[in-house]
Amino acid sequence: MDIEPFMLRALLTALFLGPLCGFIGVFVTARRMSFFSDTVAHAALAGVALGFWLGLPDPTLPMILFSLLIAGLILWLKERTALLNDTIMALLLSGSVALGMVILSLLRGHRGELDRYLFGDILSVGWGDAVLAFIVLVSVGSILFWKLNALALLTAHADLAHVSGIPVRWLNYGFVALLTVTVALSIRLLGIILVTSLVVIPPAAARNLARSLRQQILMSLFLGLIGAVGGVAISYPLNLPSGPCITLTLAGLFVLSLFGGRLQRPIRNLS
Amino acid sequence: MDIAFRIPKPAAVEVRDLQVQLGGTPVLRGVNLRIEAGRMVALIGPNGSGKTTLLRCLLGLQVPHSGSVRLLQEGPPNPSLLRRIGYVPQRLQLDPSFMLTVREFLAIRRPVTATWFWRPSRQIDEQLHSAVAEMDVTRLLDRPVAGLSGGQLQRVLICSSLLNEPELLLLDEPTAGVDTPGEADFYELIAEVHRRRGLTVVLVSHDLSMVYRHASRVYALNGVICCEGAPEEVMNAESLKQAYGIHFTPYHHHHHHPHSHGGHGH
């Protein structure tokens, strides 16, 4: 069977980004940053709109840059104001979606492209995206492994991490930047609305099965890979957008993990 | 009386005229504190007395407005100095969705990259052996940290802080999550570590009743150090009663002790 070039690009991108989202997701869920991930994803809509407005042929770069800008704004507002995290993120999420919609409405011609950014579209994945996904997998993946001790300790207790000589503030900034780039890039496959599922469901399912952090990371990597590649693979013959296909595959894996997890003794009742 | 003839030992902690304001409110109003090396002492104070702020200053987590902190006779807290200090927080902010095991938690304390990820657990256990045996956490190694009881977690936290061979151990409300019967054993365990390793131990607590049995010196904080001395002296001091606002009772229901007052002062 011949694989269409666009299908090959989409499958490769899924192969690169699925495990990476699964890996980084272990720390996103444990650090309660799912909503943060959702916010920077929605910010990408304004990036897409700005890209079209500036007449750029490919909106990947403005998407990543605008998401990074919003991520930076979240951190800045958190440090400078007394506002709660949730409030700051809800404000920036709705603000960037509104900005994106207004620009797209004014541009008129691009309204039809909205769906592919909201729900993902394998046809929109170019060779540039696949190459970028590979570069991000290698670089973000190695940084995460290199800083695994520090990240795990930061997740367990920020002050303890500081006392252990970890530059907590910079590590946090770095983690946010890596997460934002990974999420913004994954929008091509999953769309803005569903991209967080690839970051949240694999580690949640892995948690049901794993008995250690090491196992949770490895299983999350694997489940992210299966969900992303599997979702892309079924989206084409069924002629469905890739985002919902990936998310439903992941949801199926999560349900299976619940059954697998029942065989193990629950840990909560020990506390 | 004997204090006057004793040659003072070097200070593990020296705080001079420390002042901190939080949101415009003065929390520490000129704290002076000198903790001798090798002692096991208690830093006590009611809620809102500035205990946590003082501890944060000692750990370099809070920058004072004025005054100075000197640790281990070297200077203010910095990364290389903090490596010689063991800090035991009250609890971890750990989410149950994070499957970190006790063995992994102990292994990540090393500043190097995560070699534990690829190593068999037997090799990790060999590296951790002495501290693990000392704190009796061998049976807990495969358990997820998020599922430990308060007492088990405290033992694991102390064990992890001992891995760096610290010269100074700071414990923040060490028995906050420990049940009452476990409390006595717990302080015995810390006292044992103190005796064996000869390090300086600072217990930060709002509760004097258990602390005073093991501490050789008590510092009572209420914005300033309002009194200090041997536990018996501090407990009977007029200034402490004023600081707490009530008559302080070191009564503890399952221990019979000559200092017990048998009732609460209201």
Side-chain angles (χ1 to χ4, degrees):
Chain A
M1 189 184 93
D2 286 329
I3 295 181
E4 305 272 359
F6 73 87
M7 198 57 191
L8 184 65
R9 292 193 294 259
L11 283 171
L12 281 175
T13 309
L15 182 73
F16 301 146
L17 292 178
L20 182 61
C21 285
F23 187 10
I24 204 165
V26 171
F27 294 96
V28 173
T29 49
R31 300 186 67 203
R32 294 169 195 145
M33 288 172 73
S34 312
F35 191 35
F36 180 92
S37 158
D38 222 19
T39 305
V40 295
H42 281 75
L45 185 67
V48 171
L50 284 171
F52 287 144
W53 191 38
L54 295 172
L56 298 175
D58 183 291
T60 303
L61 192 66
M63 243 162 71
I64 293 176
L65 290 180
F66 201 82
S67 292
L68 281 171
L69 174 77
I70 292 296
L73 258 177
I74 294 173
L75 294 178
W76 189 78
L77 285 170
K78 197 172 138 189
E79 285 176 15
R80 300 295 160 100
T81 66
L83 292 173
L84 285 175
N85 247 353
D86 266 10
T87 315
I88 294 171
M89 291 192 278
L91 187 135
L92 292 172
L93 186 152
S94 44
S96 8
V97 170
L99 177 67
M101 287 306 292
V102 166
I103 296 174
L104 284 176
S105 301
L106 291 174
L107 289 175
R108 289 207 173 85
H110 292 287
R111 273 307 289 271
E113 300 206 39
L114 192 57
D115 266 12
R116 63 166 49 174
Y117 289 100
L118 290 182
F119 297 107
D121 179 10
I122 45 175
L123 290 171
S124 73
V125 180
W127 277 117
D129 294 308
V131 171
L132 199 56
F134 181 73
I135 294 169
V136 167
L137 167 70
V138 172
S139 53
V140 174
S142 347
I143 296 172
L144 288 178
F145 260 115
W146 174 44
K147 289 288 171 197
L148 195 59
N149 276 359
L151 261 176
L153 197 53
L154 175 67
T155 307
H157 199 286
D159 288 352
L160 199 58
H162 165 90
V163 174
S164 307
I166 293 163
V168 166
R169 204 168 164 195
W170 292 108
L171 185 65
N172 193 34
Y173 290 165
F175 180 75
V176 162
L178 298 183
L179 171 64
T180 304
V181 171
T182 307
V183 165
L185 202 57
S186 308
I187 285 173
R188 279 301 168 92
L189 288 176
L190 283 118
I192 286 161
I193 293 177
L194 294 172
V195 70
T196 301
S197 68
L198 188 55
V199 178
V200 170
I201 302 178
R207 191 238 170 273
N208 289 333
L209 302 168
R211 288 167 176 270
S212 66
L213 178 62
R214 178 175 176 275
Q215 285 183 8
Q216 191 185 8
I217 291 173
L218 292 173
M219 286 179 185
S220 189
L221 279 165
F222 183 68
L223 291 169
L225 187 145
I226 301 288
V229 174
V232 166
I234 59 171
S235 78
Y236 177 56
L238 298 177
N239 196 21
L240 290 168
S242 47
C245 290
I246 295 173
T247 302
L248 285 176
T249 309
L250 290 169
L253 291 170
F254 180 80
V255 171
L256 287 177
S257 79
L258 284 174
F259 290 111
R262 278 182 67 118
L263 302 171
Q264 296 188 15
R265 108 196 112 105
I267 61 150
R268 275 171 198 266
N269 62 4
L270 296 168
S271 58
Chain B
M1 272 308 188
D2 57 338
I3 289 164
F5 303 106
R6 216 162 44 84
I7 300 158
K9 286 185 188 167
V13 176
E14 205 163 12
V15 173
R16 287 214 179 121
D17 196 33
L18 197 69
Q19 300 200 18
V20 175
Q21 293 182 9
L22 295 178
T25 316
V27 177
L28 299 180
R29 308 184 304 267
V31 171
N32 286 289
L33 182 67
R34 185 177 191 282
I35 298 171
E36 277 184 14
R39 276 194 183 246
M40 178 155 165
V41 305
L43 180 67
I44 60 155
N47 289 329
S49 60
K51 289 187 309 281
T52 308
T53 307
L54 179 54
L55 184 66
R56 288 176 63 81
C57 288
L58 296 183
L59 295 170
L61 291 162
Q62 169 75 49
V63 181
H65 289 86
S66 64
S68 67
V69 171
R70 212 168 123 87
L71 298 177
L72 304 170
Q73 301 225 289
E74 289 206 0
N78 60 54
S80 72
L81 207 50
L82 286 172
R83 267 192 271 279
R84 294 160 58 192
I85 291 169
Y87 163 55
V88 180
Q90 267 183 56
R91 57 180 72 86
L92 295 176
Q93 307 136 345
L94 207 61
D95 196 275
S97 66
F98 199 53
M99 282 303 287
L100 190 72
T101 61
V102 170
R103 179 182 288 113
E104 288 170 337
F105 176 67
L106 296 173
I108 60 170
R109 291 303 296 274
R110 304 186 172 260
V112 289
T113 48
T115 48
W116 56 270
F117 199 88
W118 312 111
R119 287 236 175 106
S121 25
R122 192 169 29 81
Q123 268 184 38
I124 305 167
D125 290 355
E126 280 166 19
Q127 290 174 353
L128 302 172
H129 179 262
S130 68
V132 165
E134 191 173 352
M135 293 311 290
D136 192 25
V137 294
T138 316
R139 282 176 306 107
L140 303 176
L141 285 173
D142 288 313
R143 295 267 295 272
V145 177
L148 298 178
S149 75
Q152 291 169 336
L153 179 63
Q154 278 296 328
R155 293 217 308 275
V156 168
L157 287 172
I158 295 172
C159 179
S160 90
S161 71
L162 291 178
L163 292 173
N164 293 345
E165 308 276 334
E167 295 158 55
L168 169 64
L169 196 58
L170 296 165
L171 298 101
D172 186 12
E173 300 283 2
T175 53
V178 182
D179 54 9
T180 321
E183 235 175 85
D185 300 341
F186 183 77
Y187 282 113
E188 280 300 337
L189 198 61
I190 297 174
E192 184 63 34
V193 168
H194 169 243
R195 273 194 297 276
R196 198 179 307 126
R197 297 195 172 225
L199 39 65
T200 314
V201 176
V202 181
L203 303 160
V204 179
S205 179
H206 70 280
D207 178 21
L208 186 48
S209 54
M210 281 308 288
V211 160
Y212 84 111
R213 298 164 67 88
H214 296 284
S216 67
R217 201 167 176 82
V218 173
Y219 302 82
L221 181 73
N222 200 0
V224 294
I225 296 292
C226 55
C227 72
E228 65 172 275
E232 302 79 32
E233 292 167 23
V234 170
M235 272 194 302
N236 295 319
E238 211 44 51
S239 51
L240 184 72
K241 291 168 191 167
Q242 281 164 13
Y244 273 83
I246 52 159
H247 184 68
F248 189 83
T249 56
Y251 176 71
H252 208 264
H253 61 89
H254 67 282
H255 288 285
H256 299 286
H257 194 273
H259 289 286
S260 299
H261 290 275
H264 298 275
H266 51 76

